[in-house]
Amino acid sequence: MPALALLTAAFVVAFEQLVEWKYGPAGLVGLILLTVGVKAKSPAVSSVGAVVLALLMTGPAR
């Protein structure tokens, strides 16, 4: 069981680093809002985080 927890923690940290590297601090804020909203069972906070990530992933309209 500790190995699974360690593997999961490593995956989460790696994913956070990937998001921050690709989308900058705004991506990290969106990911944190999404995570906090899901953990707190707050649809408003998780929706804001999801919208921030979606806007960053789609980029500006050309």
Side-chain angles (χ1 to χ4, degrees):
M1 207 56 166
L4 181 61
L6 183 62
L7 185 63
T8 303
F11 176 74
V12 168
V13 169
F15 186 71
E16 285 178 348
Q17 290 296 317
L18 176 70
V19 167
E20 186 174 5
W21 169 73
K22 186 157 174 90
Y23 301 110
L28 188 60
V29 168
L31 184 63
I32 289 171
L33 284 172
L34 182 63
T35 304
V36 167
V38 169
K39 294 251 183 211
K41 296 181 180 160
S42 172
V45 176
S46 59
S47 295
V48 169
V51 167
V52 167
L53 288 175
L55 287 174
L56 288 171
M57 288 181 187
T58 57
R62 297 179 195 236

